């Protein structure tokens, strides 16, 4: 997917003995979005924006060692070793030694011929790393200005970590002017290096350039245009994150020292075998406990009590990604943790007095947000027409942020209809769910409409589910409600699937006797039978609603 950007220069940090200016170059191809203010908590901002940088450059994918040269050398050595083993006469040994000397000369000649190439190649990579780090990144961070806060979003290179830095206006001692909207900002390694020069004794001005994006780096305008062929997985990953935030979850609040103890232990010891997980042991009214495997070490959190109603034990993997938060601990006030379940995503919100850094982690490092998450499929999927979606979006854009309850009351619509429309808007990249304030916010990811036909099937499972329905190979056999939870049962080719939907139209539990579900449960998202059952149930619910409305109209007539 092609993303086009045009920056009026480059983002920069300038300063003197008394003041520092932080100026971000926004994308001039997007709707004008700007902000000017003077930071009151410059040190907090420096540390938080640095942590966001760690998310951008994070790549914990397994990188196998390069063994091509070794294998080539081994292939050359095998006949030599065999000859040495078989040699029984001195003349054979003399021939072997002569060939060795000849081969060594060939290798030296080859190294001399290739040396300039390898030197130039390394110099080029060094230049990119120091001067044009943008070439190493896929997507510049996204910045959104809202009436109550400004926030940055980014994704890691391995697509398993999501970062969001929110700054409310209390962080600024002066806010001169702003215009709400979303834009991409020019970002580079040099900009990160300049951030490290921010000090508390210098007044820091924060600016997303409002002047038509006119930044001059020389005596003439310098516009930097880019066309980035962005993988669909990156876009889909952004769309999945907000959907995952809306799912039912267990919430835990930790003290900064509790997280410090966890990170200290992980840095001190290196696991050599599995399992490599953290077990959160949650008992109502009791201190939270974290069991680190495989060592069996328990970290007690005496000042962090679990306030839930049900005893739970949740395991998460990919724990070394939490080291991204290490730099924030000295300025953190508390850490709110949202756990969706064993093997499912988790969110860590570091509160820093007016600033909140949110780190979203997929179930484990190799299970990235886009390929195996499918969490949009478990979000509300109430069928809504395009007119309803547009009405909800325009109403939300009036205030830029609002809860589903407030929107439903203001528009006079059923909450489930509003949630369904918001769910579709989230999946289309126009809205994001704010986990901290429990509201939906306008955040248009791309200036043009996203090609939803290309992004429609996030996985093979959803494509299979659509084919199952089209072929009429699956049907609903029971729809009931028990204790406020909808129970929907379907049958397919001798198999059976049962799903449980709560009052907010969210999937909270499922059962299926297919092989995929037996092996993975919901850790890799729902199987095609669960997806198809949801889709059929949503269609039946919509048909029933339409029939009811028609009956009311006939009665009135």
């Amino acid at each position: 997917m092609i993303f086009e950007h045009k920056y009026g220069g480059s983002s920069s940090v300038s300063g003197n003995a008394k003041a520092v200016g932080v100026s971000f170059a926004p994308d001039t191809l997007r709707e004008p979005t700007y902000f000017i203010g003077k930071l009151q908590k410059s040190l907090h901002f420096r540390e938080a924006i640095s942590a966001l940088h760690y998310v951008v450059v994070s790549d914990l994918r397994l990188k196998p060692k390069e063994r091509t040269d070794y294998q080539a050398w081994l292939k050359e050595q095998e006949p030599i070793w065999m000859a040495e083993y078989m040699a029984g006469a001195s003349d054979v040994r003399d021939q072997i030694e002569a060939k060795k000397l000849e081969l060594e000369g060939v290798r030296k000649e080859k190294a001399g011929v290739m040396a300039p190439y390898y030197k130039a190649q390394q110099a080029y990579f060094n230049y990119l790393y120091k001067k044009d780090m943008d070439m190493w990144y896929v997507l510049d961070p996204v910045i959104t200005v809202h009436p109550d806060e400004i926030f940055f979003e980014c994704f890691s290179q391995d697509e398993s970590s999501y970062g969001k830095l929110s700054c409310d206006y209390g962080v600024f001692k002066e806010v001169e002017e702003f215009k709400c909207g979303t834009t991409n900002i020019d970002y580079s390694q040099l900009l990160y290096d300049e951030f490290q020069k921010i000090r508390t004794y210098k007044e820091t001005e924060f600016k997303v350039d409002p002047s038509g994006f006119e930044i001059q780096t020389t005596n003439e305008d310098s516009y930097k245009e880019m066309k980035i062929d962005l993988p669909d997985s990156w876009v889909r990953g952004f769309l999945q994150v907000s959907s995952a935030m809306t799912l039912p979850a267990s919430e835990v609040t930790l003290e900064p020292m509790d997280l410090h103890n966890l990170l200290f232990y992980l840095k001190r010891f290196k696991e050599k075998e599995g399992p490599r997980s953290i077990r959160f042991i949650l008992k109502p009214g009791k201190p939270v406990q974290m069991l680190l495997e495989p060592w069996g070490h328990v970290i007690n959190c005496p000042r962090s009590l679990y306030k839930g109603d049900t005893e739970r034990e949740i395991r998460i993997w990919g724990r070394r990604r939490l080291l991204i938060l290490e730099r924030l601990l000295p300025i953190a006030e508390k850490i709110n943790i949202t756990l969706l379940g064993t093997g499912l995503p988790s969110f860590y919100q570091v509160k820093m007095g007016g600033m909140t850094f949110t780190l979203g982690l997929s179930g484990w490092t190799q299970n990235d947000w886009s390929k195996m998450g499918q969490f949009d499929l478990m979000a509300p999927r109430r069928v809504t027409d395009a007119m309803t979606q547009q009405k909800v979006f325009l109403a939300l854009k009036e205030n830029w942020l609002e809860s589903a309850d407030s929107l439903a009351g203001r528009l006079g619509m059923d909450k489930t209809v509003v949630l369904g429309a918001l769910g579709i808007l989230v999946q289309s990249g126009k809205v994001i769910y704010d986990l901290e304030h429990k509201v939906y916010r306008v955040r248009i990811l791309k200036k043009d409409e996203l090609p939803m036909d290309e992004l429609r099937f996030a996985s093979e499972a959803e494509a299979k589910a659509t084919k199952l329905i089209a072929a009429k190979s699956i049907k609903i056999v029971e729809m009931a409600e028990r204790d406020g939870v909808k129970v929907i049962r379907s049958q397919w080719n001798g198999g059976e699937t049962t799903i449980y939907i709560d009052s907010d139209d969210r999937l909270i539990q499922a059962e299926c006797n297919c092989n995929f579900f037996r092996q993975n449960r919901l850790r890799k998202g729902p199987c095609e039978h669960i997806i198809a059952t949801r889709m059929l149930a949503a269609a039946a619910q919509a048909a029933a609603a339409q029939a009811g409305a028609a009956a009311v109209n006939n009665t009135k007539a």
Side-chain angles (χ1 to χ4, degrees):
M1 187 182 304
I2 301 296
F3 273 61
E4 295 187 19
H5 303 300
K6 184 178 181 181
Y7 299 115
S10 299
S11 298
S12 61
V13 177
S14 58
N16 52 41
K18 296 182 179 179
V20 175
V22 179
S23 179
F24 290 100
D27 184 0
T28 59
L29 296 179
R30 300 193 62 156
E31 188 175 324
T33 300
Y34 54 81
F35 179 91
I36 297 179
K38 292 183 179 178
L39 281 168
Q40 185 171 350
K41 299 184 176 181
S42 53
L43 178 62
H44 289 60
F45 178 80
R46 183 191 72 192
E47 299 303 296
I49 201 72
S50 297
L52 200 70
H53 169 82
Y54 296 155
V55 176
V56 172
V57 301
S58 174
D59 188 357
L60 297 179
R61 289 171 293 192
L62 179 64
K63 302 178 184 65
K65 291 183 178 180
E66 179 58 52
R67 296 180 177 272
T68 306
D69 293 340
Y70 171 72
Q71 294 294 339
W73 173 83
L74 190 63
K75 190 174 181 179
E76 294 174 354
Q77 287 294 114
E78 282 181 353
I80 297 174
W81 290 336
M82 181 61 68
E84 288 178 345
Y85 179 76
M86 299 296 295
S90 59
D91 58 336
V92 175
R93 284 193 292 270
D94 293 340
Q95 291 178 21
I96 291 174
E97 291 299 325
K99 291 296 182 183
K100 280 183 179 181
L101 292 174
E102 183 181 348
L103 183 60
E104 184 66 25
V106 172
R107 286 173 177 164
K108 288 181 179 179
E109 184 178 355
K110 177 186 175 182
V113 171
M114 295 298 293
Y117 167 76
Y118 290 135
K119 184 178 179 181
Q121 183 186 58
Q122 187 60 47
Y124 174 66
F125 287 142
N126 290 340
Y127 170 82
L128 286 182
Y129 190 81
K130 294 179 181 178
K131 302 295 183 182
D132 195 5
M133 195 66 178
D134 300 353
M135 294 287 290
W136 298 81
Y137 303 149
V138 179
L139 180 65
D140 286 324
V142 176
I143 186 170
T144 302
V145 179
H146 269 204
D148 62 327
E149 69 177 30
I150 181 171
F151 59 90
F152 303 79
E153 294 175 275
C154 69
F155 242 41
S156 64
Q157 290 193 53
D158 59 13
E159 301 177 19
S160 72
S161 304
Y162 162 82
K164 178 187 174 188
L165 171 60
S166 304
C167 306
D168 66 39
Y169 289 167
V171 172
F172 302 89
K173 60 183 177 182
E174 290 181 24
V175 176
E176 296 181 17
E177 56 179 322
F178 66 88
K179 183 174 182 180
C180 297
T182 300
T183 186
N184 294 84
I185 57 171
D186 176 60
Y187 188 82
S188 66
Q189 174 71 25
L190 291 178
L191 185 63
Y192 165 76
D193 294 336
E194 291 297 321
F195 281 144
Q196 310 313 305
K197 300 177 183 178
I198 295 176
R199 296 292 184 269
T200 54
Y201 56 83
K202 294 183 180 182
E203 186 175 77
T204 303
E205 183 185 54
F206 178 94
K207 178 168 68 173
V208 180
D209 190 8
S211 59
F213 315 133
E214 300 170 359
I215 294 182
Q216 294 184 347
T217 53
T218 61
N219 294 327
E220 57 184 15
D221 291 342
S222 174
Y223 285 96
K224 183 168 59 175
E225 297 189 27
M226 298 182 181
K227 282 190 178 181
I228 301 176
D229 188 4
L230 191 64
D232 289 350
S233 58
W234 276 69
V235 182
R236 194 177 295 120
F238 260 102
L239 305 184
Q240 297 283 26
V241 168
S242 191
S243 294
M245 291 179 178
T246 66
L247 298 178
S250 299
E251 296 185 354
V252 174
T253 300
L254 296 184
E255 294 294 323
M257 199 63 195
D258 298 329
L259 185 58
H260 165 77
N261 292 337
L262 169 65
L263 300 183
F264 176 76
Y265 197 89
L266 291 178
K267 291 183 70 176
R268 186 178 179 186
F269 297 96
K270 175 69 174 179
E271 61 276 3
K272 296 182 179 179
E273 58 183 15
R276 298 174 172 86
S277 69
I278 302 175
R279 288 182 183 265
F280 285 88
I281 302 171
L282 310 176
K283 299 179 180 179
K286 301 290 185 181
V288 175
Q289 291 183 313
M290 294 180 287
L291 174 63
L292 302 184
E293 299 178 310
W295 307 290
H297 179 73
V298 177
I299 297 176
N300 293 298
C301 310
R303 293 182 292 172
S304 304
L305 303 181
Y306 177 55
K307 298 179 181 178
D309 299 325
T310 308
E311 182 174 335
R312 301 195 65 184
E313 186 172 304
I314 299 174
R315 296 177 72 191
I316 65 166
W317 286 263
R319 58 198 178 189
R320 292 195 177 273
R321 292 174 291 175
L322 291 173
L323 291 168
I324 291 172
L325 302 177
E326 183 179 24
R327 187 165 177 171
L328 301 178
L329 293 182
I331 56 176
E333 296 176 355
K334 61 180 179 178
I335 296 99
N336 292 341
I337 303 178
T338 302
L339 303 169
L340 299 188
T342 296
L344 293 176
S346 52
F347 296 90
Y348 304 80
Q349 299 176 68
V350 182
K351 306 284 188 176
M352 299 170 287
M355 291 187 187
T356 301
F357 186 91
T358 302
L359 178 65
L361 304 179
S362 59
W364 55 94
T365 305
Q366 296 299 321
N367 182 18
D368 63 53
W369 281 103
S370 59
K371 297 176 184 175
M372 307 170 85
Q374 305 175 30
F375 301 107
D376 58 329
L377 308 178
M378 292 188 279
R381 299 204 35 115
R382 178 74 176 264
V383 177
T384 57
D385 56 73
M387 289 293 291
T388 302
Q389 297 168 30
Q390 184 70 0
K391 185 178 180 180
V392 171
F393 179 71
L394 292 177
L396 180 61
K397 199 170 182 181
E398 290 175 6
N399 299 325
W400 291 92
L401 68 152
E402 200 165 348
S403 66
D405 290 321
S406 176
L407 267 176
R410 189 157 62 88
L411 296 174
M413 298 170 64
D414 186 83
K415 180 183 174 182
T416 56
V417 174
V418 172
L419 281 172
L422 289 171
I424 294 173
L425 290 170
V426 165
Q427 294 165 27
S428 61
K430 295 179 178 179
V431 171
I432 183 174
Y433 184 71
D434 186 336
L435 191 63
E436 179 184 4
H437 298 102
K438 312 298 182 188
V439 296
Y440 288 86
R441 293 180 178 272
V442 175
R443 190 268 276 130
I444 303 175
L445 186 60
K446 193 174 186 285
K447 63 183 178 69
D448 304 316
E449 290 287 333
L450 290 172
M452 297 311 296
D453 290 340
E454 298 177 14
L455 297 172
R456 180 185 176 192
F457 298 128
S459 66
E460 186 181 354
E462 189 169 1
K464 288 180 178 178
T466 304
K467 290 181 180 179
L468 279 174
I469 295 173
K472 298 183 178 180
S473 301
I474 186 170
K475 62 180 180 179
I476 302 291
V477 296
E478 180 186 3
M479 293 182 70
E481 187 167 335
R482 302 169 190 167
D483 299 326
V485 176
K486 299 173 189 173
V487 181
I488 303 166
R489 187 163 59 90
S490 66
Q491 291 181 346
W492 45 272
N493 299 333
E496 186 171 291
T497 301
T498 305
I499 64 174
Y500 301 84
I501 309 294
D502 69 5
S503 57
D504 285 331
D505 228 20
R506 297 179 297 186
L507 178 68
I508 57 174
Q509 190 179 345
E511 297 170 2
C512 185
N513 52 16
C514 72
N515 185 57
F516 179 87
F517 185 83
R518 286 199 191 103
Q519 290 183 347
N520 304 294
R521 307 296 293 179
L522 290 175
R523 296 184 184 92
K524 295 185 179 180
C527 65
E528 63 264 31
H529 309 106
I530 294 174
I531 299 169
T533 304
R534 286 219 64 181
M535 294 169 71
L536 287 173
Q541 186 178 2
Q546 291 177 357
V552 170
N553 291 334
N554 292 335
T555 302
K556 289 181 179 179

